[in-house]
Amino acid sequence: MTLARLKAIDWTDEAGAFAHAQSRALLMREYLRRAALWAKAYDAKEAWPFFDIAGRVDAEVTLPVDIAGELEELLEELGPSSLRTTCRGAVRWAALREARSNLPTDLPDPYTPLLAMYERGGGYYLHEYLDLNGVMIPLGSVESNASAAPFLTLAPAALDALDSEGDVTYDAKISDG
């Protein structure tokens, strides 16, 4: 199911990215928070923010050969490499959830917000900030993200409402004048 979601994404949807800029920023922030919690729990702070969380939880989890092949075919043209890492991680996470019933219940599903963000306008660019095609957000640290307030609903209607709040204007000071 996760692979099917990834395959259905229009990774070049810049119009969608701009139309959903606010919800995509919120979804990325929520992913960063969740990934920070998992990084702290599994001693993976050095790998944060874009890492294979399933591999940290259970390095033995594997994908069926056909799924792995389809996934790699999809990822061939995607970038940056951290985007490919999270897509692999999301598919491996789904396999881990199927294979193990004893996953920690005190940690939230790490990839749900990131998959929703991808579905609302494709990927991102990684520089000093995360560029989500319409909004840029700082990465921060594991600690600052782990302590951020959670976003309690990822329901499409709530995300659509966030995006429809009206036009947002960004101003920049370009000189003292």
Side-chain angles (χ1 to χ4, degrees):
M1 178 98 117
T2 301
L3 179 58
R5 286 179 71 181
L6 291 171
K7 289 172 78 172
I9 294 169
D10 179 356
W11 295 98
T12 61
D13 185 13
E14 289 185 19
F18 283 105
H20 298 295
Q22 300 306 313
S23 63
R24 284 172 44 85
L26 184 138
L27 289 163
M28 177 58 83
R29 288 181 194 274
E30 181 61 13
Y31 164 76
L32 292 172
R33 185 187 76 81
R34 292 178 182 200
L37 294 173
W38 283 94
K40 288 178 71 168
Y42 283 88
D43 196 29
K45 290 181 182 181
E46 80 291 342
W48 181 88
F50 304 110
F51 65 107
D52 178 4
I53 296 167
R56 294 294 179 134
V57 174
D58 184 349
E60 302 295 318
V61 67
T62 59
L63 297 175
V65 175
D66 58 328
I67 299 293
E70 282 185 60
L71 176 60
E72 290 309 313
E73 185 178 311
L74 170 69
L75 300 179
E76 283 178 0
E77 297 181 24
L78 295 182
S81 63
S82 59
L83 182 126
R84 293 188 299 272
T85 297
T86 58
C87 289
R88 281 187 199 99
V91 174
R92 285 175 45 92
W93 182 258
L96 177 64
R97 278 196 341 241
E98 285 184 25
R100 287 185 47 186
S101 60
N102 63 338
L103 292 174
T105 57
D106 59 332
L107 294 170
D109 184 305
Y111 294 105
T112 299
L114 196 59
L115 289 170
M117 190 208 77
Y118 292 156
E119 290 169 332
R120 297 178 78 80
Y124 58 85
Y125 300 97
L126 185 58
H127 306 288
E128 291 178 29
Y129 287 83
L130 279 164
D131 181 348
L132 304 178
N133 290 335
V135 67
M136 293 175 70
I137 61 173
L139 277 175
S141 67
V142 170
E143 287 75 19
S144 67
N145 280 282
S147 65
F151 189 68
L152 300 178
T153 180
L154 300 179
L159 298 172
D160 290 344
L162 180 65
D163 289 328
S164 68
E165 284 295 312
D167 292 328
V168 176
T169 302
Y170 297 95
D171 297 300
K173 180 179 176 182
I174 57 173
S175 72
D176 287 334

